[in-house]
Amino acid sequence: MGTRKKVHAFVRVKPTDDFAHEMIKYGDDNKSIDIHLKKDLQRGVVNNKQTDWSFKLDGVLHNASQDLVYETVAKDVVAQALNGYNGTIMCYGQTGAGKTYTMTGATENYKHRGILPRALQQVFRMIAERPTHAITVRVSYLEIYNESLFDLLSTLPYVGPSVTPMTIVENPQGVFVKGLSVHLTSQEEDAFSLLFEGETNRIIASHTMNKNSSRSHCIFTIYVEAHSRTLSDEKYITSKINLVDLAGSERLGKSGSEGRVLKEATYINKSLSFLEQAIIALGDQKRDHIPFRQCKLTHALKDSLGGNCNMVLLTNIYGEAAQLEETLSSLRFASRMKLVTTEPAINEKYDAERMVKNLEKELVLLKQELAIHDSLANRTLVNYDPMDEIQIAEINSQVRRYLEGTLDEIDIINLRQIQEVFNQFRVVLSQQEQEVEATLRRKYTLIDKNDFAAISAVQKAGLVDVDGHLVGEPDGQGFGLGVTPYSTKPGKKSKSKKMFKEQLGSLARKEGAGSPVSGKDLEVSTSKTQLTPSSKEGDVKELPLRDRETSSIEPLPSDSPKEESRPPRPSTPPPKPVAFEDFKNERGSEINRIFKENKSILNERRKRASETTQRINAIKREMDMTEGALNFQRSLREKQGEYENKGLMIIDEEEFLLILKLKDLKKQYRAEYQDLRDLRAEVQYCQHLVDQCRHRLLTEFDIWYNESFFIPEDMQVSLKPASGIRPGMVPISRLVALGEDDQDKFSQLQQMMLPEGPDSISFYNAKVKTEQKRNYLKTMMGLQQGHRK
C-alpha cells in the first residue's frame, strides 16, 4: 500500500459586486481566509460570542478563471489516474455558489468549460502521448435524487431503462453500483456526447437563491485501464476518477422552497448532514466505526472518503455579508475534510491470458534446462513431453498382459509413466465392468420393483406369483416347471410363447404402461436383482409395441391450401421514429443510401478542411516564432553594428537561415490556404446535396406514412402501381427538416472558432449532436401530440 496523505481542500469565492471586504480577508500566501463578524450590541456589553475565525487551506481561488481552477485543483489528480491511482474531485457548498459551473462549466462557451470536460480532454491527450500502452476509457453518470439512484445515460437507445432498481454493492475490489451502465469511449467527442446527454437528463429547479439549482447529487466516473503493448508484461493498471457535483445546502427561510422543491431540499440537507458526520468520524483517529451506510451518497463514495484514492475538495462560497453564516458552515466542512487521510496506491492487476503465455515460455525453458542436466549427469534421455497415443497404447497392452499373468513387470522410467499406468488400470477395470454388464443384459432382463404396470402384466400372464417367484420354481432349487427358454428348442417357435407375447402386449396397453414392452421383457421376475433367461432370437425379431404403433401412424396431408398471411393494419399508427426506420429499410432504402453516401463525402471533406485549418494554424504559429527570432537577430545585429561590403549588407548565417525558413513557410501557407478555399467550396456544394437528399427523404417518408396508415384500406387499391393515382397526389403535411439550422450554425461557429482553439472541435461537435437529438425528440413529441388531437 502507499503512504497516507491528507485530503487537499481548496476554496473558490463566487465573484460579486457586493463583496464583504471588512468581514472576509485573505492571507498573503492565498492559503488562508479570515472571517470577522461585528458584535451584536443588542445582546449587551458582556457578550462572549465568537466573532473571529481563521481557516488554513491548500489554496484560496478568488476571481480565478476556469483554467486556473483546473490547473490548481484537478490536473495532478487526473495525471495520477493514468499511472494507476484512483482520484476524486468533489464540489461542495451553498446553493447558488457555483458548484455546477465549476464542475461542468458553461456548455455554450468552450473557454468557460469546467473541470469535467477539461479532465476528459486531459485523459485523451495523455493517452495520445503514451503509444507504448493500450488504454481504454469508460464512463458512467450516476444521479442520487431523493435517496434514489438513477442512470443519467439510460436514455441512450442501446441502454434503455432498467427493470430492477439500482443498488450499491460492496466486494473485495471496492464499491460499485449494480445496474449502472458503463460506456466505452474511444475518442474525445464520444465522451463529450455522453457528458452532454447526462447533463440534459439532470433534475433542476428554480428558487430565490438560484434559477437553475441542481436538485440531486451527481457522480461522473471515468474508468481507465492501461495494458502494456509488450507481450511479456502481464501486469496492467486500472483506475477511476470520480467527479462529484453535490447539490447545494439550503436554508429554507432564504430559498423560499415549497412543495416538491421543499421535499428535495429536505433530502439534500439530510444527505449532506450524513456526509459531514462521516467526515467527522474519519477525522477522529479514535473512531472505529464510520457511518457510511446512513445514506446513498456516503455509501457510493465509501472508496473516495478516506479510501484508496487521491481526494480533493473544492468548496464554493459566497463573498457577500448576507451569506456569511452559510460561508462559515462551508469553511468548517473544508477544515474538517483536511483532517481526513487517504492511502493512495497503484491498482495493479494481472492479465490471465498473458500469464498463461509467460508460464508456457517458462515451462519450455525449464524442460531445456532439465535436458541439459540429464545429459551432464549421464542419465538416459527422459522425455518430459505429454505421451502420445502410441505410448499410451503400449502401456495399456502391458497392463492387460500383467493382469492376465503373461507379464511379470511393467517398465517404469519416470513419474509420468507411473501416472499413466494407474490411469490404464482404471480404464481396463471400467471396460471389464461394461463387458460383464452387456453380457448379462443379452442373457437376462431386469424389472424394477417400482414399475407396477410391468409387474401387474407379468403376474396376470402367469409367469410369476404374488410373491414374485417364477411359477413352478421350488425354493432352493436350480430348475422349475415354468416357461421353457426358447434357446432349448432350436429351430422351432413356441405357439404358446407367441400367444403369451400378444396377451402381455394387450395387458400392458390396458394397464397404461409407461414404457414399451419388448420381446425380451416377457420372461422376467419382479425382483430387482432376480434374472430370468430370455430368448436371443426373440430379442431380434420382436419390436417394442410403441415402436410398432408409432410406425403405423402416417401423417395426413392437409387438404386446405396455405393462405398468404398479410400483417393486419394496426388500429393506431406506429410512432413516427419507428415507422421512419422501417421506411429507410424498405421503400426509402435507395434514397437513404444516396443520403448516407453524400453525408459521408461531406464529412470527409469537412475533416480534410479541419485538418488543413489545423496545418494553417500550425504554420502561422511557426511563422510568428520565426519572425520573432528574425527580429531578435536583427536587433542584435544593429546593437553590434552593421557591416557593409560594396554597398551590400552583411548578415550572419543564422539570420540568413531564418530568412530562408520564413520564405518557405509563407509559400506553404499560401498553398495550404488555397487548398482550404477549394475544400470550403466543395463542402458548400456537398452540403447542398445533403440538404436536397434530406428534404427528399423526409418528403417521401411523409407520403408513405400517410398512404400506409391514414388512407382507408378500400382506397389502397387505387394507389398501387397499375392504378391511375401516383404516389404524392395524396395531400400531406410536410415534415420539418430537422437539424438544418443547427448544421448551418455549427459550420459558421466552426469557421469562427477553429483559428482560436483547434482543440474545441470535439467539444462543439458533441454539443451540436446533443442539440440535434433534443430538437428531434421535441419535434416528434409535438407531432405525436398533434396527431392525438
Side-chain angles (χ1 to χ4, degrees):
M1 296 295 289
T3 58
R4 301 196 67 86
K5 58 183 293 188
K6 290 188 176 182
V7 173
H8 293 288
F10 297 88
V11 171
R12 186 181 191 183
V13 184
K14 183 177 181 179
T16 178
D17 295 334
D18 191 17
F19 187 79
H21 295 279
E22 297 180 357
M23 300 181 179
I24 302 177
K25 302 289 185 182
Y26 304 123
D28 296 335
D29 56 353
N30 279 334
K31 291 187 178 181
S32 63
I33 184 169
D34 299 329
I35 306 296
H36 172 72
L37 283 177
K38 295 181 180 179
K39 281 193 174 183
D40 189 0
L41 299 178
Q42 295 180 357
R43 298 195 176 188
V45 179
V46 180
N47 184 3
N48 295 326
K49 184 179 179 181
Q50 185 176 356
T51 58
D52 295 289
W53 293 266
S54 180
F55 300 94
K56 298 290 184 181
L57 304 163
D58 292 290
V60 177
L61 302 170
H62 180 55
N63 291 332
S65 64
Q66 295 281 65
D67 291 333
L68 180 60
V69 170
Y70 184 79
E71 292 287 333
T72 306
V73 175
K75 186 175 182 180
D76 291 339
V77 176
V78 177
Q80 289 289 329
L82 270 295
N83 296 327
Y85 292 93
N86 294 336
T88 300
I89 304 170
M90 181 188 298
C91 284
Y92 176 89
Q94 180 189 0
T95 179
K99 299 179 299 300
T100 302
Y101 177 77
T102 300
M103 182 58 67
T104 308
T107 56
E108 294 81 9
N109 194 322
Y110 176 74
K111 293 182 179 179
H112 295 164
R113 67 195 188 281
I115 292 176
L116 214 161
R118 293 173 188 269
L120 290 173
Q121 283 184 315
Q122 182 181 351
V123 167
F124 283 99
R125 192 178 298 119
M126 293 183 67
I127 290 174
E129 295 173 356
R130 300 190 180 189
T132 57
H133 287 75
I135 304 177
T136 58
V137 179
R138 296 175 174 84
V139 299
S140 65
Y141 211 166
L142 173 68
E143 181 182 46
I144 305 176
Y145 173 72
N146 289 354
E147 281 301 295
S148 298
L149 303 176
F150 297 95
D151 186 0
L152 289 177
L153 300 179
S154 62
T155 56
L156 294 172
Y158 55 87
V159 179
S162 177
V163 179
T164 59
M166 292 189 295
T167 56
I168 301 175
V169 181
E170 295 186 38
N171 58 15
Q173 285 74 33
V175 178
F176 70 96
V177 180
K178 185 178 180 179
L180 180 64
S181 61
V182 181
H183 304 265
L184 177 66
T185 58
S186 57
Q187 55 185 352
E188 188 178 314
E189 183 177 333
D190 296 340
F192 282 140
S193 297
L194 294 172
L195 169 62
F196 296 147
E197 177 71 22
E199 288 296 319
T200 57
N201 298 327
R202 287 191 63 174
I203 298 176
I204 60 174
S206 176
H207 53 73
T208 56
M209 299 290 293
N210 190 0
K211 292 183 179 180
N212 298 310
S213 175
S214 300
R215 312 309 296 165
S216 60
H217 311 296
C218 292
I219 304 174
F220 188 92
T221 306
I222 305 173
Y223 305 89
V224 180
E225 184 175 312
H227 292 260
S228 175
R229 296 187 187 274
T230 306
L231 294 178
S232 60
D233 192 357
E234 60 195 28
K235 290 193 298 184
Y236 67 97
I237 59 174
T238 61
S239 62
K240 65 178 181 179
I241 310 172
N242 287 325
L243 300 163
V244 187
D245 182 14
L246 298 175
S249 59
E250 298 181 19
R251 293 213 172 196
L252 302 180
K254 290 185 177 181
S255 63
S257 301
E258 296 178 354
R260 180 179 63 86
V261 181
L262 176 62
K263 179 182 177 182
E264 293 169 348
T266 304
Y267 276 104
I268 291 170
N269 291 338
K270 183 179 178 181
S271 60
L272 292 176
S273 176
F274 287 143
L275 175 63
E276 189 164 4
Q277 291 178 18
I279 296 302
I280 293 173
L282 286 168
D284 188 358
Q285 302 296 332
K286 299 180 181 179
R287 290 282 293 269
D288 295 330
H289 173 68
I290 310 298
F292 283 119
R293 298 196 178 188
Q294 285 184 322
C295 67
K296 300 287 179 63
L297 176 64
T298 54
H299 197 185
L301 295 176
K302 182 178 179 180
D303 287 345
S304 302
L305 302 174
N308 172 26
C309 75
N310 294 311
M311 177 75 181
V312 176
L313 174 70
L314 181 57
T315 305
N316 296 83
I317 63 173
Y318 273 99
E320 300 175 358
Q323 312 296 335
L324 209 55
E325 293 184 3
E326 289 79 3
T327 298
L328 279 173
S329 177
S330 299
L331 291 173
R332 290 193 189 99
F333 182 86
S335 61
R336 293 189 184 109
M337 181 65 83
K338 278 187 63 63
L339 300 176
V340 178
T341 57
T342 60
E343 194 170 356
I346 298 178
N347 300 299
E348 290 184 343
K349 295 183 179 180
Y350 290 89
D351 191 342
E353 184 177 354
R354 291 190 179 183
M355 284 183 66
V356 170
K357 291 182 179 179
N358 292 339
L359 290 174
E360 289 176 350
K361 291 181 180 179
E362 186 176 358
L363 185 61
V364 172
L365 293 175
L366 290 176
K367 287 181 179 180
Q368 294 175 356
E369 291 183 4
L370 282 174
I372 295 174
H373 177 74
D374 292 338
S375 62
L376 294 176
N378 294 325
R379 294 178 54 192
T380 57
L381 184 60
V382 180
N383 188 10
Y384 296 98
D385 294 330
M387 292 188 174
D388 55 15
E389 295 181 358
I390 298 176
Q391 293 173 331
I392 294 175
E394 176 64 26
I395 293 177
N396 182 274
S397 175
Q398 292 182 8
V399 168
R400 289 183 181 276
R401 285 184 289 160
Y402 179 80
L403 292 174
E404 293 171 357
T406 58
L407 183 66
D408 295 334
E409 292 182 356
I410 299 176
D411 296 333
I412 300 296
I413 299 176
N414 54 21
L415 180 62
R416 193 182 297 275
Q417 282 188 333
I418 296 175
Q419 295 174 346
E420 189 60 36
V421 165
F422 280 102
N423 185 33
Q424 292 304 317
F425 269 112
R426 186 186 297 112
V427 171
V428 171
L429 178 61
S430 177
Q431 290 177 352
Q432 290 180 353
E433 289 178 350
Q434 292 177 2
E435 291 174 358
V436 171
E437 183 179 356
T439 303
L440 291 176
R441 286 189 178 276
R442 284 194 299 269
K443 189 174 182 181
Y444 302 101
T445 302
L446 196 66
I447 287 185
D448 193 351
K449 287 183 177 181
N450 297 324
D451 194 353
F452 299 106
I455 293 173
S456 177
V458 173
Q459 289 177 351
K460 289 181 180 180
L463 270 181
V464 295
D465 57 11
V466 180
D467 297 329
H469 300 291
L470 287 172
V471 176
E473 179 188 3
D475 293 337
Q477 302 296 326
F479 59 91
L481 300 176
V483 180
T484 306
Y486 181 74
S487 58
T488 60
K489 303 175 182 180
K492 296 183 179 180
K493 286 188 177 181
S494 174
K495 295 183 179 179
S496 61
K497 181 176 180 180
K498 185 175 181 181
M499 293 174 61
F500 168 70
K501 288 180 181 179
E502 296 176 354
Q503 182 182 5
L504 183 57
S506 61
L507 289 172
R509 286 196 297 271
K510 290 179 181 178
E511 294 294 331
S515 60
V517 182
S518 63
K520 68 178 183 179
D521 294 331
L522 298 177
E523 298 86 11
V524 293
S525 72
T526 56
S527 174
K528 195 169 185 178
T529 58
Q530 186 177 0
L531 298 172
T532 304
S534 164
S535 172
K536 187 178 293 185
E537 186 178 353
D539 291 343
V540 178
K541 294 187 177 181
E542 295 293 334
L543 295 174
L545 294 177
R546 182 182 301 175
D547 295 342
R548 290 187 293 175
E549 291 175 0
T550 55
S551 63
S552 64
I553 300 175
E554 297 293 337
L556 297 176
S558 177
D559 297 334
S560 59
K562 294 183 179 179
E563 297 181 0
E564 294 184 0
S565 60
R566 182 180 179 182
R569 182 173 180 175
S571 58
T572 59
K576 282 204 171 184
V578 178
F580 188 60
E581 294 299 325
D582 296 338
F583 171 77
K584 290 192 297 183
N585 295 329
E586 297 174 0
R587 180 168 163 180
S589 59
E590 183 64 18
I591 305 176
N592 186 43
R593 182 187 62 80
I594 297 173
F595 174 77
K596 287 183 177 179
E597 290 179 356
N598 292 338
K599 194 66 182 264
S600 63
I601 295 173
L602 175 62
N603 292 334
E604 190 269 335
R605 294 295 189 276
R606 280 180 175 165
K607 183 178 179 182
R608 287 175 53 186
S610 175
E611 294 173 352
T612 305
T613 304
Q614 293 182 12
R615 290 197 298 270
I616 290 175
N617 292 334
I619 294 173
K620 184 64 170 64
R621 288 192 294 269
E622 192 172 359
M623 287 172 58
D624 295 338
M625 294 174 59
T626 306
E627 286 182 354
L630 185 59
N631 292 332
F632 176 77
Q633 290 291 333
R634 288 175 179 173
S635 62
L636 187 63
R637 175 166 49 82
E638 291 174 357
K639 290 180 181 179
Q640 294 177 354
E642 298 180 348
Y643 297 92
E644 295 184 359
N645 184 12
K646 298 181 180 180
L648 299 177
M649 188 71 63
I650 298 176
I651 60 175
D652 58 0
E653 182 180 0
E654 186 175 357
E655 185 177 352
F656 178 75
L657 293 176
L658 288 173
I659 293 173
L660 293 179
K661 182 180 180 182
L662 183 60
K663 184 178 180 181
D664 292 337
L665 289 174
K666 288 182 178 180
K667 184 178 180 181
Q668 294 179 18
Y669 183 88
R670 286 192 292 268
E672 293 288 348
Y673 186 77
Q674 183 61 36
D675 292 341
L676 181 60
R677 291 181 61 184
D678 296 339
L679 285 172
R680 284 179 176 175
E682 294 180 12
V683 167
Q684 186 177 2
Y685 178 74
C686 293
Q687 180 66 52
H688 177 67
L689 294 179
V690 169
D691 293 342
Q692 284 184 341
C693 289
R694 183 188 290 112
H695 174 72
R696 176 71 181 279
L697 183 65
L698 295 176
T699 303
E700 293 289 337
F701 165 69
D702 204 6
I703 296 171
W704 172 82
Y705 189 83
N706 283 275
E707 292 176 353
S708 300
F709 302 107
F710 290 99
I711 299 175
E713 293 183 355
D714 54 358
M715 293 181 60
Q716 292 289 337
V717 181
S718 303
L719 294 174
K720 289 185 177 181
S723 64
I725 301 179
R726 328 183 256 107
M729 293 179 65
V730 181
I732 59 171
S733 58
R734 186 185 176 196
L735 197 66
V736 180
L738 301 177
E740 296 181 15
D741 296 337
D742 292 335
Q743 193 67 42
D744 295 338
K745 291 179 181 178
F746 171 70
S747 300
Q748 297 174 4
L749 186 64
Q750 190 179 30
Q751 293 177 6
M752 180 180 65
M753 295 300 296
L754 275 181
E756 299 180 7
D759 295 336
S760 64
I761 298 175
S762 301
F763 183 87
Y764 284 111
N765 279 343
K767 180 178 180 296
V768 168
K769 287 181 180 178
T770 305
E771 290 293 333
Q772 287 179 347
K773 179 182 177 182
R774 188 187 305 173
N775 293 338
Y776 173 78
L777 295 176
K778 188 184 299 182
T779 304
M780 297 308 297
M781 289 178 61
L783 291 173
Q784 291 176 1
Q785 292 176 359
H787 173 65
R788 294 193 186 109
K789 293 180 181 180

